[in-house]
Amino acid sequence: MDNTIFLRVAVTVLSFFLFIGIVWWTVDRRKTRQFEEASRLPFLDE
């Protein structure tokens, strides 16, 4: 029973840090410029 509680807590904490990492990655100023360029790709005429 104790192992189950520990695993649930560990997965919850890991998921939280993964979420924070993804948010940080998307808000990073260096990546924002790349995301903006990528968002315009469908509208470019070739």
Side-chain angles (χ1 to χ4, degrees):
M1 192 73 160
D2 290 332
N3 288 338
T4 305
I5 293 171
F6 174 75
L7 287 175
R8 287 181 181 178
V9 170
V11 168
T12 301
V13 170
L14 181 66
S15 298
F16 175 72
F17 283 117
L18 180 64
F19 174 75
I20 294 300
I22 291 172
V23 169
W24 186 349
W25 178 65
T26 58
V27 177
D28 186 16
R29 290 181 187 227
R30 290 175 286 165
K31 293 286 184 183
T32 302
R33 196 171 295 146
Q34 292 174 356
F35 291 146
E36 287 176 358
E37 290 174 8
S39 70
R40 291 187 201 113
L41 285 176
F43 302 109
L44 294 177
D45 291 330
E46 293 191 62

